């Protein structure tokens, strides 16, 4: 079982985030830390400050030695896949192979409208996301890469340097949608994240079974995909312990705690101590 936590890049200073990450890197309990990726704080007033996740990761890579990190998740609408690939490979090399790449379709309509970023219909967003993973994989693994999709074209591109991680940094896909998300996870994910904000074990078991079926349909070994579950941290340690045990028994390999902003450096060691008992 891997353990990770997410802090939000909003309502926090660089100094606060740095302290959280250094504290997590000191011990051996936390395997990974995450940031969300938004231009406006999600489900919060737009005036609240929020920083860029990918830029912050450059600082994280420089001040830590052990802990892995990634986006949960980046909006695919924000960056051309080649720009995302270049950011990712740079961070992978800066951190000596500690990056995991979480990307989603994008959903926050208010931030897209405010900053003039196109938010296509959902079907097109899933097509674009599928193409992004294909482009990332190709650029990371092939000496010369060509791709012609419905929305993106890459023509005999040479992409250097390659990542430290082989064949590439892990891809993370989150969500529960049975028609689009689960099949996409079966195709591309090295980690599938189940967002559980209502403690719905039945839904988790149902979607995990769907993932098994989707993998079988494309002749992929489902055991290649790490199964993670994301909780909002409620402050109730006994509830956290119960949830971790219940989801581990139901088939989870990884639990992720999402901490409400602002970042509190005391929370990771407190929760680690409780879960280690």
């Amino acid at each position: 079982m891997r353990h990770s936590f997410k802090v939000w890049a909003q309502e926090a200073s660089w100094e606060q985030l740095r302290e959280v990450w250094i504290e997590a890197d000191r011990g051996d309990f936390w395997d990974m830390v995450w940031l969300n990726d938004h231009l406006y704080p999600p489900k919060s007033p737009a005036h609240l400050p929020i920083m860029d996740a990918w830029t912050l990761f450059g600082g994280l890579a420089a001040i830590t030695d052990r802990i892995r990190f990634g986006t949960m998740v980046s909006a695919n609408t924000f960056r051309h896949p080649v720009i995302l690939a270049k950011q990712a490979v740079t961070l992978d090399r800066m951190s000596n192979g500690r990056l995991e790449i979480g990307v989603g379709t994008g959903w926050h309509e208010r931030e897209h409208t405010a900053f003039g970023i196109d938010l296509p219909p959902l079907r097109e967003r899933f097509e674009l996301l599928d193409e992004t993973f294909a482009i990332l994989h190709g650029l990371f693994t092939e000496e010369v890469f060509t791709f012609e999709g419905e929305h993106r074209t890459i023509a005999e591109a040479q992409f250097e340097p390659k990542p430290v991680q082989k064949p590439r940094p892990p891809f993370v896909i989150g969500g529960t949608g049975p028609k689009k998300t689960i099949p996409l996870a079966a195709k591309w994910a090295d980690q599938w994240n189940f967002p559980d904000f209502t403690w719905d074990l039945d839904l988790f078991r149902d979607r995990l079974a769907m993932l098994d079926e989707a993998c079988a349909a494309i002749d992929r070994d489902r055991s290649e995909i790490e199964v993670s579950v994301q909780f909002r941290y409620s402050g109730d340690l006994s509830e956290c312990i119960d949830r971790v045990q219940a989801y581990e028994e139901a088939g989870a390999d990884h639990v992720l705690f999402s901490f409400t902003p602002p970042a509190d450096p005391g929370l990771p060691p407190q929760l680690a101590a409780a879960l280690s008992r």
Side-chain angles (χ1 to χ4, degrees):
M1 174 71 77
R2 285 209 298 167
H3 301 87
S4 65
F5 65 85
K6 178 169 71 175
V7 292
W8 296 25
Q10 73 184 57
E11 302 170 70
S13 66
W14 159 245
E15 290 76 15
Q16 288 171 312
L17 292 170
R18 180 179 62 193
E19 190 175 350
V20 170
W21 290 330
I22 289 174
E23 181 63 38
D25 195 53
R26 282 195 186 109
D28 58 5
F29 180 83
W30 295 109
D31 297 283
M32 186 161 186
V33 296
W34 306 87
L35 284 172
N36 61 357
D37 182 30
H38 283 283
L39 302 174
Y40 268 173
K43 302 179 182 178
S44 299
H47 72 273
L48 292 175
I50 186 166
M51 293 188 285
D52 175 65
W54 287 88
T55 306
L56 286 168
F57 282 150
L60 185 153
I63 63 173
T64 59
D65 299 309
R66 179 191 62 83
I67 203 157
R68 297 180 66 81
F69 57 93
T71 46
M72 184 61 74
V73 292
S74 281
N76 189 45
T77 50
F78 288 173
R79 301 167 188 85
H80 189 284
V82 174
I83 301 302
L84 178 61
K86 188 58 73 173
Q87 289 177 304
V89 76
T90 301
L91 285 165
D92 184 69
R93 296 187 75 86
M94 286 177 67
S95 65
N96 194 28
R98 291 185 282 140
L99 174 70
E100 302 189 18
I101 306 171
V103 190
T105 58
W107 62 270
H108 196 343
E109 185 174 359
R110 184 177 57 163
E111 67 186 353
H112 286 77
T113 301
F115 294 107
I117 299 172
D118 188 32
L119 184 67
L122 187 59
R123 179 176 180 178
E124 184 178 336
R125 276 181 274 155
F126 271 102
E127 293 170 352
L128 284 162
L129 185 58
D130 182 37
E131 291 188 8
T132 287
F133 284 123
I135 291 168
L136 292 175
H137 181 81
L139 292 173
F140 290 154
T141 60
E142 298 186 22
E143 293 302 315
V144 179
F145 178 60
T146 295
F147 176 84
E148 187 169 346
E150 185 71 24
H151 306 281
R152 304 288 192 192
T153 300
I154 307 293
E156 298 183 5
Q158 294 175 284
F159 186 85
E160 296 294 340
K162 298 299 185 193
V164 172
Q165 298 180 81
K166 301 301 180 186
R168 54 165 174 73
F171 292 162
V172 183
I173 296 176
T176 61
K179 294 182 179 179
K180 298 290 186 180
T181 302
I182 298 299
L184 193 70
K187 181 178 181 180
W188 288 115
D190 301 289
Q191 179 188 151
W192 168 63
N193 180 257
F194 176 81
D196 178 21
F197 303 132
T198 58
W199 200 344
D200 194 338
L201 271 168
D202 289 337
L203 181 63
F204 172 74
R205 293 189 184 99
D206 179 74
R207 294 303 190 262
L208 185 55
M210 286 185 179
L211 183 63
D212 289 340
E213 293 170 4
C215 286
I218 61 172
D219 198 27
R220 184 180 181 191
D221 184 352
R222 212 285 292 157
S223 67
E224 296 175 354
I225 302 175
E226 182 184 33
V227 175
S228 65
V229 181
Q230 180 178 178
F231 311 127
R232 286 198 183 98
Y233 179 64
S234 67
D236 186 332
L237 292 175
S238 62
E239 180 193 55
C240 288
I241 293 168
D242 290 344
R243 282 198 179 200
V244 170
Q245 291 175 343
Y247 276 96
E248 184 174 13
E249 291 171 3
D253 309 303
H254 179 162
V255 291
L256 186 170
F257 296 93
S258 179
F259 295 143
T260 302
D264 179 355
L267 274 180
Q270 179 187 25
L271 186 53
L275 293 172
S276 299
R277 290 172 189 158

